[in-house]
Every structure is written in structure tokens, then in C-alpha cells.
Amino acid sequence: MRFSIPLTALVIGATLTGCMGGGTAGSRNRSLESVHQPIVRVANYALDVEAPNGVLGPVEMRRVSDWLDAMEVAYGDTISVDDSGAFNARSARDGVAMLIARKGLLLNDHAPLTNGVIAPGSVRVVITRSTAHVPGCPDWSQRMAANFNNGTSANYGCASNANLAAMVADPTDLVSGQAGAGNDPNTATRAITTYRAATPTGAAGLGGSSTQGGSSGGGQ
């Protein structure tokens, strides 16, 4: 009995330790991929304007311009025109393209599907806006002091991914990226080539200067 009691306690303690270890290992992320990834949300905002004969009049042009300013359209927004309700609306598209060109944007060729029917003789201007954020950050739900399974912390990846989501100009690039348009090695090395080819600023030597300057006061 003197030896069986400590032995039983030791077995029970080892069993509890094994259960706790297994649960901790299951809840720890032992890879280098963060569980906190950016989530991208896409929203469409639409404005219907009258375009009789496919032309936007001065009043409707002003409406579109004021709406774009109110929506604070900027790089990362996609602007398109749904002209399915107007006949030969090329002039209306050109008018919207001119307005957004002042903001440094280009008109998208394809408009997304939106709710509601476009009235005959009208066009729909659509702003597609994407946002990205990382939910659940910061995450200090786990104590790293008790991590014996070589796993990353619960907060691992929050800083990098949250900063990336906040800084990316077009959040949809986090989903599909941009198609490659080819690489020009000359462009990549132009700055270095210019720096190496430039004449050093000290090549002509140091210019002479005199310490005997004029004095507005008395003697030397």
C-alpha cells in the first residue's frame, strides 16, 4: 500500500497530462500559415440617370458628378455603365468616362448584375467597391508560456495580414491577383544603371574657400 498509492497517482497524473497535451496540440497551429486571413467583401452601388437617345444631358451629368464626389470614388473602385435600358448609349458611356477620368480612373467594359429593372431611356452607373479586413485580430486567447507543441501563437499573422488588408489598393487582388503583362529587365535595372553611370560628385575635387571673410565690425 505504501508503494501502490504513489504509483496510482503517478499513472493518473500521466493520463491527465496526455489528455491535456493532445488537446493543446489539436488547438495549436503548427504550420507557418496564419489562421487569420483577410476577408474580402464586394459591394455594388448604383445610380440610374436618364439618357434619352443615349445622351446624358447637363443636369444628369451634374447628378453623376455629384454622386461620384459623395461616394468619394478613388483608385480601387471599379466604375461601369449598364446601358441595357438605352439604345445606342455610347455617348452616355463617354460622358461617364470623362467624369471618372478626372479622378484618374478608367471605365470598366462590363457592368455587374444589379437588382431592379432599368427604366427605358436610362442608364445605370455602378460603383463596385471592395474592402478587406482580418476578423478576430488581435488574438491573445492562448498563452505562449504553456505552448510545448512547437506551435505558433494565436495572434500569429495578425499584424502582417491586417496591415496588408489595410494598405492594398484593390482588395480583389488578394483573391485573384493581376494578370502578368511581361517583365522588362531594363526597367528593373534602370535605376541601378543610372546610379553606376553617374559621375561621382567629388570627381572634380573640392572647391577652395577662404576663411578671410569681410567684417562689418571693427578690426580683425
Side-chain angles (χ1 to χ4, degrees):
M1 291 296 295
R2 186 172 56 196
F3 295 99
S4 61
I5 293 177
L7 182 59
T8 303
L10 180 61
V11 172
I12 294 175
T15 304
L16 292 176
T17 303
C19 293
M20 292 176 63
T24 304
S27 61
R28 295 287 183 180
N29 178 17
R30 301 187 64 180
S31 72
L32 295 180
E33 292 291 336
S34 172
V35 297
H36 300 287
Q37 296 294 331
I39 293 179
V40 178
R41 289 188 171 92
V42 181
N44 294 322
Y45 305 91
L47 174 68
D48 290 351
V49 291
E50 295 181 1
N53 299 322
V55 179
L56 288 179
V59 176
E60 297 298 87
M61 286 283 287
R62 184 65 182 180
R63 283 187 60 206
V64 176
S65 178
D66 292 343
W67 181 62
L68 295 175
D69 292 339
M71 294 297 295
E72 298 181 352
V73 172
Y75 181 80
D77 295 333
T78 301
I79 316 298
S80 55
V81 174
D82 188 346
D83 55 2
S84 58
F87 177 75
N88 192 18
R90 178 63 180 271
S91 178
R93 294 179 60 88
D94 291 343
V96 176
M98 179 187 67
L99 292 176
I100 66 174
R102 299 173 182 174
K103 302 179 181 296
L105 301 177
L106 297 176
L107 189 65
N108 200 331
D109 294 334
H110 304 285
L113 295 177
T114 53
N115 296 328
V117 179
I118 303 176
S122 300
V123 296
R124 176 169 294 173
V125 184
V126 183
I127 300 175
T128 303
R129 179 167 293 171
S130 305
T131 58
H133 77 288
V134 182
C137 285
D139 183 0
W140 304 111
S141 60
Q142 296 177 350
R143 294 178 55 190
M144 286 303 296
N147 178 14
F148 303 107
N149 298 285
N150 197 30
T152 57
S153 70
N155 196 56
Y156 176 75
C158 270
S160 299
N161 290 338
N163 286 337
L164 179 62
M167 293 187 297
V168 63
D170 187 355
T172 57
D173 288 346
L174 298 176
V175 179
S176 58
Q178 295 284 344
N183 299 320
D184 186 359
N186 293 327
T187 302
T189 60
R190 184 177 301 166
I192 298 177
T193 303
T194 302
Y195 173 77
R196 290 178 175 176
T199 303
T201 55
L206 298 177
S209 61
S210 174
T211 59
Q212 301 298 324
S215 175
S216 59
Q220 296 293 331

